Structures are given as structure tokens and as C-alpha cells.
């Protein structure tokens, strides 16, 4: 499934979280008990947005490509698995939003995990089925597995620790590769944020205080492990070699610090909600980059 579509879906569903809360701080505060009007608002909003998104994708995206019988594809060796990392990130964040919305409405912990945290997996699975009927794409079991990892990471932490100690985050920087193949990697900044895998980094950001609760470590301080890749102009190595022979693909691993905005103290429920949304982005910090051919220190990496 195209990562451009995945991020489009993520942005739309995150907007539901903002829409499901009013300008009044009291409205932003999660309910201690089941609030039926809030729950109904959440269910109606999510159902409406999901339906509109699926219909919109079908009309605006899939209609441009020939349809076929349902078929599967094996795309696990493409983009050095950066697209799969995108699926993990999206399913995790959509699950987090879904669970938070049910918590806001006073839903039980069981309902938050069963019907909220699985929101991302269910929706992305529906989009994957649509891919299966598109001649251009195809149903990918690799994408389904990545979606399951993201959802499982959220649910597993809630079951184990009753909190999210490790967040899945995203960062982006512009690269020299997009101008070489803008059709694949994007013509402008917005398209490149969605399509240029060379500039994307995905992070596992662990909150240190959550693991050492008796320590004096600041509650907002995280340590982050990142994964990225570079030298990619297309899905496969052969395409890259034809377009840019002086660069080879390479995986990149990163070690950095990060900020957990959800741990910053504030009395404003509105501000907490804003922090929760922004927290999916990795904050710039000094970073060590390790790849096959080099080890580099970046004063600020994002």
C-alpha cells in the first residue's frame, strides 16, 4: 500500500481527535465514567471519517488505475523496508488515537484496547483489500504484518505496563534524491515528506523515568533509537542503478535523545491534547548515526 495514502489516512484520523473535543477545557478532560454522548460522537465521527476516506480513496486514487482480480504481491524487499516502518508507525498512532478517544469518552480499558487500539489495523486492512483489487498494487501480507506490529506494540505495552513507555515516532529531512526522481519521491516539500523514504526516519522513543521510577531522571526525557535508509530512487536496486550510479543503498541507525511531551506538566487539558498530537514527531537533538561505511555525529538531527 502506498505510504502516501497511509499518511493521508493518519492525518485525517488524527483530525478526528481534535474535532471530538471542544474549545472548553472541561470538554477536553477525559470522563471518569461512560459518557454516552461523547461515546456516540466518537463512534459517529470515526465511522463517518472512515467511510468518507475509503470512498475518497476509491474515487480519487484507485479510479486512476486498472482494476483486476484480487491478487497478492510480495514487496518485502522494496525500499529497504522503510515502507513497512511507515505502516508500523501509522497503525501504532492510529491505535493510540482510537484508544485515547474512547478513554476521553469514559470507555472501559477493555473497550479502549478492543475497539480503539485496533482502529488502525482494521482500517489499514480495509485499504489493503482495496489494493488487492488494483492491478497497479496488490494485497501485501508484509503490510498486514507491519500493521499488526504497530497495533501489537500499543496493546502490548498497555497490558504489560498500563502505559506507553515506548513511542513510535517520525522525523523528516529533505534530501538530494527527490530532484533526481520527483515522480517517485515528490516534487515539493509536502510530497517529499510523504514519499521520499531517503529523508524519513522512524524512532522507538523510550521514556527513561518510566523504567526507573525511583530515579531523579526528568520525566520528559527519552532515549531514542532510529532507523532510516538512503540512496534509494525507486523500489528496487536495479532502478536506482539506472538513475544514479554513484550512490548505493544503505541502512542507517541512530541513537539520540528525545522529549516526551505527554510528560510535561500542565493544568490545561487542551494543551495536553495538543502535546499528545505533536508527540508523534521526534524532537531534534544531538544524534549519532551508524551505517555500514561510517559513524557520524550530528549536532542536531531530525
Amino acid at each position: 500500500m502506498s505510504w502516501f495514502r497511509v499518511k493521508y489516512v493518519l492525518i485525517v484520523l488524527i483530525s478526528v481527535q481534535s474535532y471530538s473535543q471542544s474549545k472548553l477545557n472541561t470538554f477536553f478532560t477525559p470522563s471518569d465514567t461512560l459518557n454516552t454522548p461523547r461515546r456516540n460522537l466518537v463512534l459517529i465521527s470515526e465511522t463517518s471519517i472512515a467511510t468518507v476516506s475509503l470512498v475518497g480513496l476509491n474515487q480519487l486514487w484507485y479510479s486512476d488505475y486498472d482494476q483486476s482480480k484480487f491478487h497478492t504481491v510480495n514487496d518485502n524487499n522494496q525500499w529497504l523496508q522503510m515502507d513497512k516502518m511507515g505502516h508500523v508507525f501509522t497503525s501504532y498512532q492510529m491505535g493510540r488515537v482510537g484508544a485515547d478517544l474512547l478513554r476521553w469518552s469514559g470507555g472501559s480499558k477493555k473497550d479502549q484496547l478492543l475497539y480503539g487500539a485496533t482502529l488502525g489495523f482494521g482500517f489499514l486492512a480495509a485499504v489493503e483489500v482495496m489494493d488487492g483489487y488494483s492491478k497497479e498494487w496488490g494485497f501485501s501480507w508484509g503490510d498486514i504484518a507491519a500493521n499488526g506490529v504497530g497495533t501489537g506494540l500499543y496493546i502490548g505495552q498497555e497490558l504489560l505496563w498500563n502505559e506507553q513507555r515506548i513511542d513510535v515516532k517520525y522525523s523528516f529531512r529533505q534530501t538530494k534524491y527527490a530532484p533526481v526522481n520527483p515522480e517517485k519521491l515528490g516534487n515539493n516539500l509536502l510530497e517529499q515528506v510523504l514519499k521520499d523514504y531517503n529523508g524519513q526516519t522512524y524512532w522507538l522513543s523510550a521514556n527513561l523515568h518510566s523504567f526507573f521510577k525511583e530515579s531523579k531522571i526528568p520525566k520528559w526525557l527519552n532515549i531514542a533509537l532510529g532507523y532510516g535508509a538512503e540512496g534509494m530512487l525507486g523500489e528496487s536496486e536495479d532502478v536506482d542503478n539506472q538513475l544514479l550510479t554513484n550512490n548505493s543503498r544503505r541502512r542507517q541507525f541512530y541513537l539520540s535523545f528525545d522529549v516526551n511531551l505527554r510528560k510535561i506538566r500542565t493544568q490545561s487539558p487542551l494543551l495536553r491534547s495538543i502535546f499528545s498530537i505533536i508527540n508523534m514527531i521526534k524532537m531534534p537533538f544531538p544524534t549519532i548515526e551508524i551505517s555500514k561505511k561510517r559513524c557520524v555525529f550530528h549536532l542536531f538531527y531530525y
Side-chain angles (χ1 to χ4, degrees), residues 28 44 96 108 149 164 180 193 196 257 270 298:
F28 278 82
I44 292 173
R96 181 188 63 81
S108 67
V149 170
Q164 294 298 297
V180 180
V193 167
D196 186 3
F257 289 107
L270 171 59
H298 301 275

Side-chain angles (χ1 to χ4, degrees), residues 131-165:
D131 273 354
Y133 288 99
S134 173
K135 188 176 181 179
E136 180 75 12
W137 308 107
F139 182 96
S140 168
W141 284 110
D143 289 350
I144 291 293
N147 296 338
V149 170
T151 300
L153 184 58
Y154 181 90
I155 295 176
Q157 291 187 80
E158 290 296 319
L159 294 175
L160 183 61
W161 298 315
N162 200 34
E163 63 178 346
Q164 294 298 297
R165 297 185 180 184

Side-chain angles (χ1 to χ4, degrees), residues 56-173:
L57 282 172
N58 185 62
Q59 296 298 320
L60 300 177
W61 184 275
Y62 292 103
S63 61
D64 292 335
Y65 300 94
D66 294 334
Q67 296 295 296
S68 68
K69 293 183 179 180
F70 184 83
H71 64 287
T72 62
V73 295
N74 184 351
D75 58 357
N76 294 334
N77 64 341
Q78 296 181 359
W79 298 112
L80 292 179
Q81 295 76 52
M82 285 296 292
D83 58 326
K84 300 299 181 284
M85 295 300 297
H87 280 268
V88 172
F89 169 79
T90 303
S91 59
Y92 174 87
Q93 292 294 345
M94 290 175 65
R96 181 188 63 81
V97 170
D100 283 351
L101 287 172
L102 284 181
R103 181 174 64 86
W104 170 77
S105 67
S108 67
K109 188 70 174 182
K110 179 181 178 181
D111 287 347
Q112 292 174 36
L113 297 182
L114 283 178
Y115 308 113
T118 58
L119 174 67
F121 184 87
F123 187 88
L124 294 176
V127 177
E128 201 65 46
V129 170
M130 296 173 69
D131 273 354
Y133 288 99
S134 173
K135 188 176 181 179
E136 180 75 12
W137 308 107
F139 182 96
S140 168
W141 284 110
D143 289 350
I144 291 293
N147 296 338
V149 170
T151 300
L153 184 58
Y154 181 90
I155 295 176
Q157 291 187 80
E158 290 296 319
L159 294 175
L160 183 61
W161 298 315
N162 200 34
E163 63 178 346
Q164 294 298 297
R165 297 185 180 184
I166 304 173
D167 290 312
V168 184
K169 296 193 176 188
Y170 167 87
S171 64
F172 176 81
R173 72 189 190 284

